[in-house]
Amino acid sequence: MLIKRLVVGELATNCYLLGCEGTGKAAIVDPGADGRTILEELALGGWQLDKIILTHGHYDHFGAASVILAQRRVPVAIGKLDAAALHDPNFNLAGLLGEAPGKVEAELLLEEGDSVEVGNLQFQVLHTPGHTPGGICLQGEGVLLTGDTLFRGSIGRTDFPGGSPSQINQSLERFRTLPGELQVLPGHGPTSTIAGELLDNPFLG
Ligand SMILES: [Zn+2]
């Protein structure tokens, strides 16, 4: 699997390009901003975009989806309970960020236990509410995409609409049983591993 991290937008969101080298298909995870740069990255690698995956329904994670969708007709996947947030500027924080409400429609509504395929790559969906009600993590191919649930040394905020400290604590509990060598690809900041987080993330201590 090819993994390319692009840091996009004012909030320095991590947008990931996940590419299946066997088939040439790729997914974009969390195209928060800088749609042109993301499209250029796809073109540079000759990737065939298969889908857009959103870890949750905050604008800084899907703000450039409409730009990409205007060029490539692909389905958008999001946790079922965050789908409505795409149209609600209070919930998706577009209002707070001073942005126009998004016009993104999600066709693939993901739930716990679902799997998402990108060419020959396969990822399992973990429903991890707390930062948002429908936040998801994706586990597969040796990585865990954690969105704004888990960062290196920290966790996502729970004081936005729909956030819940008790829910994020339950979600974090799930990480304790995952393989330590799993590479953590968070929605903001540097990458990590599960073992590293269990060692020095105060929220997992
Ligand atoms: Zn967020």
Side-chain angles (χ1 to χ4, degrees):
M1 173 169 66
L2 173 129
I3 305 171
K4 174 85 183 183
R5 178 168 72 116
L6 302 166
V7 181
V8 301
E10 284 178 33
L11 298 181
T13 302
N14 287 331
C15 167
Y16 296 97
L17 187 160
L18 306 177
C20 169
E21 285 153 317
T23 61
K25 291 186 177 179
I28 293 290
V29 180
D30 288 354
D34 301 343
R36 262 186 68 176
T37 307
I38 297 168
L39 285 165
E40 281 168 11
E41 195 65 38
L42 283 165
L44 269 175
W47 295 106
Q48 181 196 339
L49 186 61
D50 189 58
K51 53 177 65 76
I52 291 171
I53 306 170
L54 306 176
T55 59
H56 64 292
H58 280 163
Y59 191 84
D60 63 314
H61 292 257
F62 73 83
S66 55
V67 174
I68 295 169
L69 292 168
Q71 303 288 324
R72 314 274 180 110
R73 282 184 165 274
V74 295
V76 175
I78 191 170
K80 189 179 176 187
L81 297 180
D82 269 18
L86 295 173
H87 307 287
D88 181 342
N90 292 319
F91 197 100
N92 67 35
L93 309 182
L96 190 71
L97 295 166
E99 302 282 353
K103 286 180 190 156
V104 178
E105 204 67 61
E107 290 90 347
L108 304 171
L109 304 184
L110 304 174
E111 297 184 77
E112 173 70 28
D114 284 349
S115 66
V116 177
E117 285 166 14
V118 182
N120 297 330
L121 310 175
Q122 206 173 41
F123 302 92
Q124 296 299 123
V125 174
L126 282 67
H127 178 213
T128 51
H131 178 66
T132 62
I136 56 165
C137 294
L138 291 169
Q139 181 188 358
E141 312 298 332
V143 305
L144 181 72
L145 293 132
T146 57
D148 286 2
T149 299
L150 179 68
F151 303 126
R152 181 172 182 148
S154 187
I155 61 170
R157 289 172 61 166
T158 55
D159 57 340
F160 294 130
S164 162
S166 64
Q167 281 191 329
I168 208 165
N169 283 335
Q170 284 177 21
S171 295
L172 294 170
E173 279 301 313
R174 305 188 58 183
F175 299 140
R176 295 182 192 281
T177 54
L178 296 178
E181 66 273 17
L182 208 54
Q183 193 184 4
V184 173
L185 305 178
H188 299 271
T191 59
S192 184
T193 61
I194 286 294
E197 292 313 297
L198 291 178
L199 198 65
D200 63 15
N201 188 324
F203 298 92
L204 283 171

